[in-house]
Amino acid sequence: MKRMLEPAKTVLLIVLVVSSFCLTAMLWANQPNLQFIEPAQYTESKPVKEKTLEQLVTPESVVFHYGEERHTRAVATDAPYSLIVSEMSKWIFLDFSPYALSNDKWGEIAREKLGIEVRFRSTIPLSIVGRLVTFRDEYDRGIKGIDRIWLYYEKDEDVVYALFLSTEEGQMMRSRTSISPKDLRESYLASGSSMPEQIMKVVKPERTFTAIEGPSPIWSTYYLPKNQSRMQQFRYSYVPVTNDRLMEAYFIDQSLVRQIMERDKTVIFTDGSRSIQLRAEQQAITFTDPAYQQRAQELSDEEKVQGAVTFINKHLGWLDDFHFERIKKSYNEKDLITFRQYVGAYPLVSTSVPIQIDTIQITSEAGQVVTMNRSLLDLDKYIGNSEQTILSGPELYQLIRDKKLADTEQITNAYLAYQTVIGNGYVDLIPTWIIELANQGNLYILARVKQGGGETHGLE
């Protein structure tokens, strides 16, 4: 029995080894059809045009006051403007105090005293202004922002004072400055002497204030050119932002992005969290990222604007020349931050529907960008231009009166801009007077001089 058992074990072992080889061969010959999982596609975004907050916050214009009701004005394309802006970093302000002026004192400073008025496009948070100039002492924290810095020379004291004016809040404060009277006269005012002369317009308050009631509210002013001027009208080609570029700019992992087509042909790209709503007929997008984190610490306006700048720097960048315009609360108490596009010294305004290319608007909550609206048209290069003769201030006012377009007593501001007109592959930039009216929509008047006066473009 034992003799038969040993050969049987040997035969069984051989059978098992042969079977193992056969099964191994079958496995090698018949690999299963496995579905491989693709690795996440992390795409590095292409370099974009970035800007700092200081580059985006710049004065709208500089007005030079020479006394005897003489005023001149310089804008971003003028050498005197560049001089003042470059000097601002050297200005030191100290000894801040709340301040109030009577109408007579206002008139004396505005019409008779030597001075310079640095004007911003809208109210700028004071902490951001502190990046452009130097605050040596603490200032009144009750004033959130300003729209003007008015330097004036007080002859009796031989001192250059500064008024920080907030038209929106109806408040101001005064400080001493490091600017010498000699620099004011021989450098700053001398540089602006050859600039176009202006007519100062004072926006009247809703009611007059008596001596018993105390000082009047701050004077709100705007300026109109005494004489006709020249301004270029441009035609630019444009380059639309491609879908691939959008994917690279807004989504880290493009393999997670789905495309949804709405009934109205709106295309939505989403990775389950962030989304981009693409409206082809408007050549614009709305980016949405639901807020997921609330900060316990309250952020300053400067931090909120800086957050918006950083977001745009990282997501598509600044396709063209933009400047900070304003920060304000939206209807739902979120922060609405607006940046406006410029060509040269003039802002773009888009009144035609559906394509509007004039602003980037961001809504943020606790410093996080929740939504952003921006155009997808990138101005490429100008393909044509013509020089236009522009209506002077008196001609503009006369046109408004003759055509009964508005009550000139209700005008709160007037400035030149480029109105955008979109064509097939091009954008026309038309010189236009923007007239802001109290409690009304804006009035748009074509600025070029024509036989019989300018043309109106209607009310917004």
Side-chain angles (χ1 to χ4, degrees), residues 207-258:
R207 67 185 184 88
T208 57
F209 285 72
T210 65
I212 297 177
E213 293 176 295
S216 64
I218 69 172
W219 275 24
S220 177
T221 59
Y222 63 96
Y223 299 87
L224 296 172
K226 276 188 176 182
N227 305 305
Q228 294 179 353
S229 58
R230 310 292 287 179
M231 187 172 170
Q232 294 291 328
Q233 177 172 313
F234 292 107
R235 172 168 290 185
Y236 274 83
S237 62
Y238 64 79
V239 178
V241 176
T242 64
N243 287 355
D244 288 344
R245 194 173 173 190
L246 284 177
M247 297 302 102
E248 292 175 2
Y250 292 99
F251 297 106
I252 297 175
D253 185 358
Q254 296 181 34
S255 66
L256 300 177
V257 178
R258 300 183 291 122

Short mmCIF file of all heavy atoms in Angstrom, two decimals, residues 207-258:
data_model
loop_
_atom_site.label_atom_id
_atom_site.label_comp_id
_atom_site.label_asym_id
_atom_site.label_seq_id
_atom_site.Cartn_x
_atom_site.Cartn_y
_atom_site.Cartn_z
N ARG A 207 -31.74 123.07 -0.06
CA ARG A 207 -32.28 124.27 0.59
C ARG A 207 -31.11 125.15 1.02
O ARG A 207 -29.98 124.69 1.13
CB ARG A 207 -33.14 123.90 1.81
CG ARG A 207 -32.35 123.27 2.95
CD ARG A 207 -33.30 122.83 4.06
NE ARG A 207 -32.58 122.29 5.21
CZ ARG A 207 -32.15 123.01 6.23
NH1 ARG A 207 -32.34 124.33 6.22
NH2 ARG A 207 -31.52 122.46 7.25
N THR A 208 -31.37 126.40 1.24
CA THR A 208 -30.33 127.33 1.67
C THR A 208 -30.22 127.29 3.19
O THR A 208 -31.18 126.97 3.90
CB THR A 208 -30.67 128.76 1.23
OG1 THR A 208 -31.96 129.12 1.76
CG2 THR A 208 -30.72 128.85 -0.29
N PHE A 209 -29.03 127.61 3.68
CA PHE A 209 -28.78 127.59 5.12
C PHE A 209 -28.52 129.01 5.60
O PHE A 209 -27.78 129.76 4.97
CB PHE A 209 -27.57 126.70 5.43
CG PHE A 209 -27.87 125.24 5.33
CD1 PHE A 209 -28.08 124.64 4.09
CD2 PHE A 209 -27.96 124.45 6.46
CE1 PHE A 209 -28.36 123.29 3.99
CE2 PHE A 209 -28.24 123.10 6.37
CZ PHE A 209 -28.44 122.52 5.14
N THR A 210 -29.11 129.36 6.72
CA THR A 210 -28.95 130.70 7.27
C THR A 210 -27.77 130.73 8.23
O THR A 210 -27.25 129.69 8.64
CB THR A 210 -30.22 131.12 8.02
OG1 THR A 210 -30.38 130.27 9.16
CG2 THR A 210 -31.46 131.00 7.13
N ALA A 211 -27.37 131.94 8.59
CA ALA A 211 -26.25 132.10 9.52
C ALA A 211 -26.58 131.49 10.88
O ALA A 211 -25.70 130.98 11.58
CB ALA A 211 -25.90 133.57 9.67
N ILE A 212 -27.85 131.52 11.26
CA ILE A 212 -28.25 130.97 12.56
C ILE A 212 -28.08 129.46 12.58
O ILE A 212 -27.70 128.87 13.58
CB ILE A 212 -29.72 131.35 12.87
CG1 ILE A 212 -29.85 132.87 12.96
CG2 ILE A 212 -30.20 130.66 14.15
CD1 ILE A 212 -31.27 133.34 13.18
N GLU A 213 -28.35 128.81 11.41
CA GLU A 213 -28.25 127.35 11.34
C GLU A 213 -26.81 126.86 11.29
O GLU A 213 -26.54 125.68 11.47
CB GLU A 213 -28.99 126.83 10.10
CG GLU A 213 -30.50 127.03 10.17
CD GLU A 213 -31.17 126.58 8.89
OE1 GLU A 213 -30.91 127.22 7.85
OE2 GLU A 213 -31.91 125.59 8.93
N GLY A 214 -25.89 127.77 11.04
CA GLY A 214 -24.49 127.36 11.01
C GLY A 214 -23.98 127.14 9.60
O GLY A 214 -24.59 127.58 8.62
N PRO A 215 -22.85 126.46 9.47
CA PRO A 215 -22.21 126.27 8.17
C PRO A 215 -23.11 125.51 7.19
O PRO A 215 -23.92 124.67 7.57
CB PRO A 215 -20.96 125.45 8.50
CG PRO A 215 -20.72 125.68 9.96
CD PRO A 215 -22.07 125.86 10.56
N SER A 216 -22.92 125.80 5.91
CA SER A 216 -23.68 125.11 4.87
C SER A 216 -23.01 123.78 4.56
O SER A 216 -21.87 123.54 4.94
CB SER A 216 -23.71 125.97 3.60
OG SER A 216 -22.41 126.13 3.10
N PRO A 217 -23.71 122.86 3.87
CA PRO A 217 -23.09 121.59 3.47
C PRO A 217 -21.90 121.87 2.54
O PRO A 217 -21.72 122.97 2.04
CB PRO A 217 -24.21 120.87 2.72
CG PRO A 217 -25.47 121.54 3.14
CD PRO A 217 -25.11 122.95 3.43
N ILE A 218 -21.09 120.84 2.32
CA ILE A 218 -19.93 121.05 1.46
C ILE A 218 -20.37 121.36 0.04
O ILE A 218 -21.41 120.89 -0.42
CB ILE A 218 -19.00 119.81 1.47
CG1 ILE A 218 -19.66 118.62 0.78
CG2 ILE A 218 -18.59 119.45 2.87
CD1 ILE A 218 -18.72 117.45 0.59
N TRP A 219 -19.58 122.15 -0.64
CA TRP A 219 -19.88 122.50 -2.02
C TRP A 219 -19.55 121.33 -2.93
O TRP A 219 -18.45 120.80 -2.91
CB TRP A 219 -19.06 123.73 -2.44
CG TRP A 219 -19.70 125.02 -2.06
CD1 TRP A 219 -20.59 125.24 -1.07
CD2 TRP A 219 -19.47 126.30 -2.69
NE1 TRP A 219 -20.93 126.58 -1.01
CE2 TRP A 219 -20.26 127.24 -2.00
CE3 TRP A 219 -18.66 126.73 -3.74
CZ2 TRP A 219 -20.28 128.59 -2.34
CZ3 TRP A 219 -18.67 128.07 -4.08
CH2 TRP A 219 -19.49 128.99 -3.40
N SER A 220 -20.53 120.94 -3.73
CA SER A 220 -20.29 119.96 -4.78
C SER A 220 -20.11 120.73 -6.08
O SER A 220 -20.94 121.58 -6.44
CB SER A 220 -21.48 119.00 -4.88
OG SER A 220 -21.30 118.09 -5.95
N THR A 221 -19.02 120.47 -6.77
CA THR A 221 -18.71 121.23 -7.99
C THR A 221 -18.39 120.29 -9.15
O THR A 221 -18.00 119.14 -8.95
CB THR A 221 -17.48 122.14 -7.76
OG1 THR A 221 -16.36 121.33 -7.38
CG2 THR A 221 -17.75 123.17 -6.68
N TYR A 222 -18.58 120.79 -10.35
CA TYR A 222 -18.07 120.14 -11.55
C TYR A 222 -17.63 121.23 -12.51
O TYR A 222 -17.90 122.42 -12.30
CB TYR A 222 -19.11 119.19 -12.18
CG TYR A 222 -20.36 119.86 -12.68
CD1 TYR A 222 -20.50 120.22 -14.03
CD2 TYR A 222 -21.44 120.11 -11.83
CE1 TYR A 222 -21.66 120.82 -14.50
CE2 TYR A 222 -22.60 120.70 -12.29
CZ TYR A 222 -22.71 121.05 -13.63
OH TYR A 222 -23.85 121.65 -14.10
N TYR A 223 -16.92 120.84 -13.55
CA TYR A 223 -16.26 121.83 -14.41
C TYR A 223 -16.56 121.55 -15.88
O TYR A 223 -16.56 120.40 -16.33
CB TYR A 223 -14.74 121.81 -14.16
CG TYR A 223 -14.39 122.16 -12.74
CD1 TYR A 223 -14.36 121.18 -11.75
CD2 TYR A 223 -14.14 123.48 -12.37
CE1 TYR A 223 -14.07 121.49 -10.44
CE2 TYR A 223 -13.85 123.80 -11.06
CZ TYR A 223 -13.82 122.81 -10.09
OH TYR A 223 -13.55 123.13 -8.79
N LEU A 224 -16.81 122.64 -16.62
CA LEU A 224 -17.07 122.56 -18.06
C LEU A 224 -16.06 123.42 -18.80
O LEU A 224 -15.71 124.52 -18.34
CB LEU A 224 -18.48 123.06 -18.37
CG LEU A 224 -19.64 122.24 -17.78
CD1 LEU A 224 -20.96 122.97 -18.00
CD2 LEU A 224 -19.68 120.85 -18.38
N PRO A 225 -15.57 122.95 -19.95
CA PRO A 225 -14.58 123.73 -20.70
C PRO A 225 -15.18 125.02 -21.25
O PRO A 225 -16.29 125.01 -21.79
CB PRO A 225 -14.15 122.78 -21.82
CG PRO A 225 -15.30 121.83 -21.98
CD PRO A 225 -15.88 121.67 -20.62
N LYS A 226 -14.43 126.11 -21.13
CA LYS A 226 -14.91 127.39 -21.66
C LYS A 226 -15.01 127.36 -23.18
O LYS A 226 -15.89 127.99 -23.77
CB LYS A 226 -13.96 128.52 -21.25
CG LYS A 226 -14.20 129.09 -19.88
CD LYS A 226 -13.34 130.34 -19.67
CE LYS A 226 -13.63 130.99 -18.33
NZ LYS A 226 -12.84 132.22 -18.13
N ASN A 227 -14.09 126.66 -23.81
CA ASN A 227 -13.99 126.68 -25.27
C ASN A 227 -14.11 125.28 -25.84
O ASN A 227 -14.02 124.28 -25.11
CB ASN A 227 -12.65 127.31 -25.69
CG ASN A 227 -12.44 128.69 -25.10
OD1 ASN A 227 -13.28 129.57 -25.25
ND2 ASN A 227 -11.33 128.87 -24.39
N GLN A 228 -14.28 125.22 -27.15
CA GLN A 228 -14.31 123.93 -27.82
C GLN A 228 -12.96 123.23 -27.68
O GLN A 228 -11.92 123.87 -27.50
CB GLN A 228 -14.63 124.11 -29.31
CG GLN A 228 -16.03 124.63 -29.58
CD GLN A 228 -16.29 124.83 -31.07
OE1 GLN A 228 -15.38 124.70 -31.90
NE2 GLN A 228 -17.53 125.14 -31.42
N SER A 229 -12.98 121.91 -27.72
CA SER A 229 -11.74 121.12 -27.61
C SER A 229 -11.72 120.08 -28.71
O SER A 229 -12.63 120.00 -29.53
CB SER A 229 -11.67 120.46 -26.22
OG SER A 229 -12.80 119.63 -26.00
N ARG A 230 -10.66 119.27 -28.72
CA ARG A 230 -10.50 118.22 -29.72
C ARG A 230 -10.45 116.87 -29.02
O ARG A 230 -9.88 116.73 -27.93
CB ARG A 230 -9.23 118.42 -30.54
CG ARG A 230 -9.06 119.81 -31.11
CD ARG A 230 -10.07 120.12 -32.19
NE ARG A 230 -9.78 119.39 -33.43
CZ ARG A 230 -10.56 119.48 -34.53
NH1 ARG A 230 -11.66 120.22 -34.50
NH2 ARG A 230 -10.24 118.80 -35.60
N MET A 231 -11.04 115.87 -29.65
CA MET A 231 -11.08 114.54 -29.07
C MET A 231 -11.13 113.51 -30.19
O MET A 231 -11.81 113.72 -31.20
CB MET A 231 -12.31 114.40 -28.15
CG MET A 231 -12.40 113.14 -27.33
SD MET A 231 -13.79 113.29 -26.16
CE MET A 231 -13.87 111.60 -25.53
N GLN A 232 -10.39 112.42 -30.05
CA GLN A 232 -10.35 111.38 -31.07
C GLN A 232 -11.58 110.47 -30.96
O GLN A 232 -12.02 110.12 -29.87
CB GLN A 232 -9.08 110.53 -30.92
CG GLN A 232 -7.79 111.27 -31.20
CD GLN A 232 -7.63 111.66 -32.65
OE1 GLN A 232 -8.10 110.96 -33.55
NE2 GLN A 232 -6.99 112.80 -32.89
N GLN A 233 -12.11 110.10 -32.10
CA GLN A 233 -13.12 109.04 -32.18
C GLN A 233 -12.43 107.81 -32.77
O GLN A 233 -11.76 107.91 -33.79
CB GLN A 233 -14.30 109.47 -33.05
CG GLN A 233 -15.35 108.38 -33.23
CD GLN A 233 -16.60 108.90 -33.92
OE1 GLN A 233 -17.12 109.96 -33.56
NE2 GLN A 233 -17.07 108.17 -34.92
N PHE A 234 -12.59 106.64 -32.11
CA PHE A 234 -11.85 105.45 -32.50
C PHE A 234 -12.77 104.34 -33.00
O PHE A 234 -13.94 104.26 -32.59
CB PHE A 234 -11.04 104.90 -31.31
CG PHE A 234 -9.92 105.78 -30.87
CD1 PHE A 234 -10.01 106.50 -29.69
CD2 PHE A 234 -8.77 105.89 -31.62
CE1 PHE A 234 -8.98 107.31 -29.26
CE2 PHE A 234 -7.72 106.70 -31.21
CZ PHE A 234 -7.82 107.41 -30.03
N ARG A 235 -12.22 103.50 -33.85
CA ARG A 235 -12.82 102.20 -34.16
C ARG A 235 -11.78 101.14 -33.83
O ARG A 235 -10.67 101.16 -34.34
CB ARG A 235 -13.24 102.10 -35.62
CG ARG A 235 -13.68 100.69 -36.02
CD ARG A 235 -14.36 100.66 -37.39
NE ARG A 235 -15.66 101.31 -37.34
CZ ARG A 235 -16.51 101.35 -38.37
NH1 ARG A 235 -16.16 100.80 -39.54
NH2 ARG A 235 -17.67 101.94 -38.25
N TYR A 236 -12.15 100.21 -32.93
CA TYR A 236 -11.26 99.13 -32.50
C TYR A 236 -11.78 97.79 -33.01
O TYR A 236 -12.99 97.56 -33.04
CB TYR A 236 -11.21 99.05 -30.97
CG TYR A 236 -10.20 99.97 -30.32
CD1 TYR A 236 -10.51 101.30 -30.08
CD2 TYR A 236 -8.95 99.50 -29.94
CE1 TYR A 236 -9.58 102.15 -29.46
CE2 TYR A 236 -8.02 100.34 -29.33
CZ TYR A 236 -8.35 101.66 -29.09
OH TYR A 236 -7.44 102.49 -28.49
N SER A 237 -10.85 96.92 -33.39
CA SER A 237 -11.21 95.52 -33.56
C SER A 237 -11.22 94.87 -32.18
O SER A 237 -10.65 95.40 -31.23
CB SER A 237 -10.20 94.81 -34.48
OG SER A 237 -8.90 94.84 -33.90
N TYR A 238 -11.88 93.73 -32.06
CA TYR A 238 -11.90 93.03 -30.78
C TYR A 238 -11.67 91.54 -30.97
O TYR A 238 -11.89 90.99 -32.05
CB TYR A 238 -13.20 93.29 -30.02
CG TYR A 238 -14.46 92.78 -30.68
CD1 TYR A 238 -14.81 91.43 -30.62
CD2 TYR A 238 -15.32 93.65 -31.36
CE1 TYR A 238 -15.96 90.96 -31.22
CE2 TYR A 238 -16.48 93.19 -31.97
CZ TYR A 238 -16.80 91.85 -31.89
OH TYR A 238 -17.94 91.38 -32.49
N VAL A 239 -11.22 90.91 -29.90
CA VAL A 239 -10.97 89.47 -29.89
C VAL A 239 -11.83 88.85 -28.79
O VAL A 239 -11.65 89.18 -27.61
CB VAL A 239 -9.48 89.15 -29.62
CG1 VAL A 239 -9.26 87.65 -29.58
CG2 VAL A 239 -8.60 89.80 -30.68
N PRO A 240 -12.79 87.97 -29.13
CA PRO A 240 -13.60 87.33 -28.08
C PRO A 240 -12.77 86.34 -27.28
O PRO A 240 -11.87 85.69 -27.80
CB PRO A 240 -14.71 86.61 -28.88
CG PRO A 240 -14.65 87.17 -30.27
CD PRO A 240 -13.23 87.59 -30.48
N VAL A 241 -13.08 86.22 -26.00
CA VAL A 241 -12.43 85.23 -25.15
C VAL A 241 -13.01 83.85 -25.48
O VAL A 241 -14.24 83.67 -25.53
CB VAL A 241 -12.66 85.55 -23.66
CG1 VAL A 241 -12.08 84.46 -22.77
CG2 VAL A 241 -12.04 86.90 -23.33
N THR A 242 -12.17 82.87 -25.72
CA THR A 242 -12.62 81.54 -26.12
C THR A 242 -13.10 80.74 -24.90
O THR A 242 -12.75 81.03 -23.76
CB THR A 242 -11.48 80.76 -26.80
OG1 THR A 242 -10.43 80.56 -25.84
CG2 THR A 242 -10.95 81.52 -28.00
N ASN A 243 -13.90 79.69 -25.18
CA ASN A 243 -14.37 78.81 -24.11
C ASN A 243 -13.20 78.11 -23.41
O ASN A 243 -13.22 77.91 -22.19
CB ASN A 243 -15.34 77.77 -24.67
CG ASN A 243 -16.69 78.37 -25.03
OD1 ASN A 243 -16.94 79.55 -24.78
ND2 ASN A 243 -17.56 77.57 -25.62
N ASP A 244 -12.20 77.69 -24.19
CA ASP A 244 -11.04 77.03 -23.58
C ASP A 244 -10.34 77.95 -22.59
O ASP A 244 -9.91 77.51 -21.51
CB ASP A 244 -10.04 76.61 -24.68
CG ASP A 244 -10.55 75.44 -25.50
OD1 ASP A 244 -11.49 74.77 -25.04
OD2 ASP A 244 -10.02 75.22 -26.60
N ARG A 245 -10.24 79.23 -22.94
CA ARG A 245 -9.60 80.18 -22.03
C ARG A 245 -10.42 80.37 -20.77
O ARG A 245 -9.88 80.51 -19.67
CB ARG A 245 -9.40 81.50 -22.75
CG ARG A 245 -8.44 82.45 -22.04
CD ARG A 245 -8.14 83.66 -22.88
NE ARG A 245 -7.35 84.64 -22.15
CZ ARG A 245 -7.12 85.87 -22.59
NH1 ARG A 245 -7.60 86.26 -23.76
NH2 ARG A 245 -6.40 86.71 -21.88
N LEU A 246 -11.75 80.35 -20.91
CA LEU A 246 -12.62 80.45 -19.73
C LEU A 246 -12.43 79.25 -18.81
O LEU A 246 -12.36 79.39 -17.59
CB LEU A 246 -14.08 80.54 -20.17
CG LEU A 246 -14.57 81.87 -20.73
CD1 LEU A 246 -16.02 81.74 -21.18
CD2 LEU A 246 -14.45 82.98 -19.70
N MET A 247 -12.37 78.05 -19.41
CA MET A 247 -12.19 76.84 -18.61
C MET A 247 -10.88 76.90 -17.83
O MET A 247 -10.82 76.54 -16.65
CB MET A 247 -12.19 75.60 -19.51
CG MET A 247 -13.49 75.34 -20.27
SD MET A 247 -14.93 75.15 -19.20
CE MET A 247 -15.69 76.76 -19.39
N GLU A 248 -9.82 77.34 -18.48
CA GLU A 248 -8.52 77.44 -17.82
C GLU A 248 -8.55 78.45 -16.68
O GLU A 248 -7.91 78.26 -15.64
CB GLU A 248 -7.44 77.84 -18.83
CG GLU A 248 -7.13 76.78 -19.87
CD GLU A 248 -6.15 77.31 -20.90
OE1 GLU A 248 -5.70 78.46 -20.76
OE2 GLU A 248 -5.85 76.57 -21.86
N ALA A 249 -9.30 79.55 -16.88
CA ALA A 249 -9.30 80.65 -15.91
C ALA A 249 -10.12 80.35 -14.67
O ALA A 249 -9.76 80.80 -13.57
CB ALA A 249 -9.80 81.93 -16.58
N TYR A 250 -11.22 79.59 -14.80
CA TYR A 250 -12.16 79.49 -13.69
C TYR A 250 -12.31 78.10 -13.08
O TYR A 250 -12.93 77.96 -12.03
CB TYR A 250 -13.53 80.00 -14.14
CG TYR A 250 -13.54 81.48 -14.41
CD1 TYR A 250 -13.45 81.98 -15.71
CD2 TYR A 250 -13.62 82.39 -13.36
CE1 TYR A 250 -13.44 83.34 -15.96
CE2 TYR A 250 -13.61 83.76 -13.60
CZ TYR A 250 -13.52 84.22 -14.90
OH TYR A 250 -13.50 85.57 -15.14
N PHE A 251 -11.77 77.06 -13.73
CA PHE A 251 -11.93 75.71 -13.19
C PHE A 251 -10.56 75.05 -13.03
O PHE A 251 -9.79 74.99 -13.99
CB PHE A 251 -12.82 74.87 -14.09
CG PHE A 251 -14.22 75.40 -14.21
CD1 PHE A 251 -14.63 76.03 -15.37
CD2 PHE A 251 -15.12 75.27 -13.17
CE1 PHE A 251 -15.92 76.53 -15.49
CE2 PHE A 251 -16.41 75.76 -13.27
CZ PHE A 251 -16.81 76.40 -14.44
N ILE A 252 -10.29 74.53 -11.83
CA ILE A 252 -9.00 73.88 -11.57
C ILE A 252 -8.94 72.53 -12.27
O ILE A 252 -7.94 72.20 -12.92
CB ILE A 252 -8.81 73.70 -10.05
CG1 ILE A 252 -8.77 75.08 -9.36
CG2 ILE A 252 -7.54 72.93 -9.75
CD1 ILE A 252 -8.71 74.99 -7.85
N ASP A 253 -10.00 71.73 -12.15
CA ASP A 253 -10.04 70.40 -12.77
C ASP A 253 -11.11 70.40 -13.85
O ASP A 253 -12.30 70.28 -13.58
CB ASP A 253 -10.34 69.34 -11.71
CG ASP A 253 -10.29 67.92 -12.26
OD1 ASP A 253 -10.07 67.78 -13.49
OD2 ASP A 253 -10.48 66.98 -11.48
N GLN A 254 -10.68 70.52 -15.10
CA GLN A 254 -11.62 70.63 -16.21
C GLN A 254 -12.36 69.32 -16.48
O GLN A 254 -13.41 69.32 -17.12
CB GLN A 254 -10.89 71.09 -17.47
CG GLN A 254 -10.30 72.48 -17.34
CD GLN A 254 -9.60 72.92 -18.60
OE1 GLN A 254 -10.01 72.58 -19.71
NE2 GLN A 254 -8.52 73.66 -18.45
N SER A 255 -11.84 68.17 -16.00
CA SER A 255 -12.52 66.89 -16.23
C SER A 255 -13.84 66.81 -15.48
O SER A 255 -14.70 65.99 -15.80
CB SER A 255 -11.61 65.73 -15.81
OG SER A 255 -11.38 65.75 -14.40
N LEU A 256 -14.03 67.67 -14.47
CA LEU A 256 -15.28 67.68 -13.70
C LEU A 256 -16.34 68.61 -14.27
O LEU A 256 -17.48 68.62 -13.80
CB LEU A 256 -14.98 68.08 -12.25
CG LEU A 256 -14.01 67.20 -11.45
CD1 LEU A 256 -13.80 67.80 -10.07
CD2 LEU A 256 -14.54 65.78 -11.35
N VAL A 257 -15.99 69.39 -15.29
CA VAL A 257 -16.89 70.42 -15.80
C VAL A 257 -17.93 69.80 -16.73
O VAL A 257 -17.60 69.04 -17.65
CB VAL A 257 -16.11 71.52 -16.53
CG1 VAL A 257 -17.07 72.57 -17.10
CG2 VAL A 257 -15.11 72.18 -15.58
N ARG A 258 -19.19 70.13 -16.48
CA ARG A 258 -20.29 69.71 -17.36
C ARG A 258 -20.84 70.95 -18.08
O ARG A 258 -20.77 72.06 -17.58
CB ARG A 258 -21.43 69.08 -16.55
CG ARG A 258 -21.04 67.86 -15.77
CD ARG A 258 -22.25 67.25 -15.07
NE ARG A 258 -22.76 68.10 -13.99
CZ ARG A 258 -23.99 68.59 -13.92
NH1 ARG A 258 -24.84 68.38 -14.91
NH2 ARG A 258 -24.37 69.31 -12.89
#
